[in-house]
Amino acid sequence: MMTPILLNEYRRVVFFTGAGMSAESGVPTYRGRGGIWAEYDWEEYACQDAFDTDPRKVLDFHEQRRAKVLACQPHAGHRHLATLQAAHPGVGIVTQNTDGMHQRAGAKSVVELHGSLWRIRCPRHGTMEDLASPAYARRDCPHCGTPLRPDITWFEDPVNAAVFEQARNLITQAELFVAVGTSAIVYPAAGLIPLAKQVGAQMVEVNVDDTEMSRLFLERVREPAGTALPELFLA
Ligand code: NAD
């Protein structure tokens, strides 16, 4: 295993997390065995067309996802990143996950590239938090009555340009870049990894397997996030 890294030796650090970050919490993955797209057709549940055709069906599906995520707990790796962020003002977390686990573990600032299960939005009146329970507090906009949709980047949606720019800004300044539990195949998010390399960040990958981008990392840690993060990154 790699020698532990002292974050105080870096001014700016970015942890870039994917679905593997929440795997040890038991959050269902999207692909592969047990993945929800093996069971459900995304064209019926996770794209704007599906929502326009049958908003109720799509919202029911997302309420099931929220229930599953609420039944899971953040693990030691999530808690450790929150602690590092509290101890060091230069630590950023950029996630592809929509599960809100980093925030539940206490992280104060998380760039959510693909949105959140815990927000809902009106095309005219913007985004609202909806944290209460698996059931959405409301399904129609309080201002105009338009059906509210989950504030998630679905299949065929563009990513939120302002959020992506925020991630790019953090990564452009990073001296240390740590990718955790991402297969690095979903674009444009995966393109942030070569960006970190290009700006000269020290590159560490924490993943149980090799990925498409492993060759860009000097350090490759083949351990689960929940054990590797507390052992390898010290405040
Ligand atoms: P992915 O499923 O494509 O890849 C997960 C990666 O994590 C794999 O490389 C796997 O080897 C690795 N991994 C599995 N368990 C691990 C562990 N315990 N520790 C470290 N690594 C582990 O995930 P992705 O790259 O994030 O892309 C999937 C897309 O689906 C993303 O866009 C994401 O938004 C979305 N998604 C989100 C969630 C969530 O919110 N928790 C869950 C599933 C998918």
Side-chain angles (χ1 to χ4, degrees), residues 25-212:
S25 292
V27 176
T29 60
Y30 280 180
R31 300 186 189 86
R33 198 168 356 135
I36 57 172
W37 303 134
E39 194 180 336
Y40 296 94
D41 183 355
W42 65 260
E43 288 175 317
E44 280 184 55
Y45 297 100
C47 62
Q48 186 65 44
D49 276 353
F51 183 73
D52 293 342
T53 306
D54 192 344
R56 199 168 121 184
K57 179 172 160 182
V58 170
L59 290 180
D60 287 350
F61 171 77
H62 283 77
E63 285 185 347
Q64 280 177 38
R65 295 270 306 139
R66 285 158 60 102
K68 289 204 166 122
V69 167
L70 267 189
C72 299
Q73 300 305 322
H75 59 63
H78 292 110
R79 291 195 295 276
H80 191 64
L81 293 197
T83 304
L84 292 176
Q85 197 176 48
H88 187 324
V91 172
I93 300 172
V94 176
T95 190
Q96 297 167 83
N97 296 342
T98 57
D99 57 25
M101 287 299 212
H102 287 299
Q103 292 91 332
R104 273 173 70 195
K108 294 288 177 239
S109 167
V110 183
V111 179
E112 294 177 306
L113 285 174
H114 295 157
S116 173
L117 274 170
W118 308 105
R119 287 193 303 272
I120 193 149
R121 78 173 185 250
C122 166
R124 287 169 56 202
H125 295 99
T127 297
M128 299 155 222
E129 264 200 343
D130 187 329
L131 297 167
S133 70
Y136 287 110
R138 55 182 314 139
R139 289 178 167 216
D140 297 322
C141 176
H143 307 294
C144 65
T146 303
L148 293 166
R149 62 156 274 179
D151 186 33
I152 285 182
T153 308
W154 281 330
F155 289 89
E156 300 176 331
D157 282 346
V159 290
N160 180 313
V163 173
F164 199 74
E165 197 46 36
Q166 230 183 318
R168 278 184 58 89
N169 281 340
L170 282 179
I171 291 166
T172 307
Q173 298 172 55
E175 293 171 357
L176 172 64
F177 177 87
V178 186
V180 187
T182 175
S183 59
I185 53 170
V186 177
Y187 281 83
L192 294 169
I193 298 173
L195 174 67
K197 179 80 175 171
Q198 193 190 321
V199 300
Q202 183 177 336
M203 303 287 287
V204 181
E205 179 176 65
V206 177
N207 196 306
V208 290
D209 284 319
D210 282 341
T211 71
E212 291 289 310

